[in-house]
Amino acid sequence: MRAPAPRPRAARALLLVFAVLGAGHLAALVAHAGAAPGSGPAVLADTVVHLTKPALMPLLAAHVLLRGGPPLLAGALLFGCGGDTFLQIGGGTAFLVGMASFAAGHLCYLVLFARHGRRGRAGGPAAGTGRRRARTACAAGLYAAALVVTVVLLWPDLPADLRIPVAGYSLLLTVMAFGALWTAPWAAVGGLLFLLSDSLIAGGIARWPQLPAPQFWIMLTYTAAQCALAIGVLAAAAGPRDPVSPVPRPAVAYRAP
């Protein structure tokens, strides 16, 4: 099974719509945070937030497909949409379902990293192998330490029924972010931003002190994370870049899983 033929013009148009809708969503979050609870402006801003949030990832997924990108990447983004929708519903069960949907997206990313990561085509002299192994071990140690510190700090303040699910999800998220390091620079940025965004969510659940307008910062880092991951995977899947243009060649056909 092959992905649809690339349609770069339509892909650019959808990316523009995604950017405009994302900006509107963030502006509505700021407006909601600054409005008096229950007031007309607060209700209007809340309505805009709830209407725009579930539309963001499908737009980015459609952009990926119109670029001729891997269908599995579009699937990862759509799992993100599922997570967004269930977290927006609220409540313990919806939160767990939303977290499971995000986890499925992370698994999709891990498969994509395994297929299109740099390890399989790195090449280079044998003398560089030791340095690569040292860098890998150092990065793995840092990510593992960040995971342990985060879970240990969060554990006492999390509701008892969320401790194990949050710890398991945090492990998967950290593995995804680590895998993104070896895929493409933009993917690495996306993985780190995803870690930051979900750490902000976990801090809110644990009732830690929050930044002003916390949902704005959560969605800013999350939207940027998904966009960076999509850009990074598209670049990695497209292979070598054209020497004249910095944009990966869109003519590559990707095979679906």
Side-chain angles (χ1 to χ4, degrees):
M1 179 180 178
R2 303 176 76 88
R7 297 171 57 190
R9 226 176 250 183
R12 286 194 293 270
L14 269 184
L15 189 61
L16 178 61
V17 175
F18 166 78
V20 171
L21 200 67
H25 178 78
L26 294 173
L29 287 171
V30 173
H32 184 266
S39 66
V43 172
L44 177 60
D46 189 58
T47 301
V48 172
V49 166
H50 278 74
L51 290 176
T52 54
K53 186 177 182 180
L56 292 173
M57 292 307 112
L59 284 170
L60 195 53
H63 166 77
V64 164
L65 293 177
L66 289 173
R67 283 275 303 271
L72 189 61
L73 175 55
L77 295 167
L78 291 177
F79 277 123
C81 172
D84 293 338
T85 303
F86 280 102
L87 262 60
Q88 192 164 253
I89 292 172
T93 301
F95 177 82
L96 290 172
V97 174
M99 189 164 59
S101 188
F102 281 124
H106 296 330
L107 290 172
C108 291
Y109 279 127
L110 285 172
V111 173
L112 289 162
F113 298 160
R115 289 179 181 173
H116 306 297
R118 291 177 292 190
R119 288 175 298 178
R121 59 176 186 271
T129 303
R131 289 193 295 272
R132 286 198 299 273
R133 287 178 178 171
R135 287 196 298 269
T136 300
C138 180
L142 289 172
Y143 275 68
L147 170 65
V148 170
V149 169
T150 301
V151 172
V152 167
L153 290 176
L154 283 171
W155 190 270
D157 298 321
L158 287 173
D161 60 335
L162 290 181
R163 287 173 179 170
I164 297 299
V166 167
Y169 174 81
S170 298
L171 174 60
L172 179 58
L173 171 60
T174 304
V175 172
M176 184 280 289
F178 177 75
L181 287 174
W182 316 110
T183 302
W186 275 112
V189 171
L192 284 169
L193 287 172
F194 221 130
L195 278 173
L196 176 57
S197 179
D198 280 11
S199 296
L200 292 173
I201 293 175
I205 296 170
R207 302 188 183 278
W208 287 1
Q210 299 287 292
L211 294 168
Q215 289 300 317
F216 168 82
W217 298 106
I218 289 169
M219 284 304 297
L220 176 64
T221 50
Y222 165 71
T223 306
Q226 291 280 38
C227 192
L229 283 164
I231 293 171
V233 173
L234 281 170
R241 297 184 175 189
D242 188 288
V244 175
S245 171
V247 179
R249 292 195 297 267
V252 177
Y254 306 94
R255 293 192 179 275

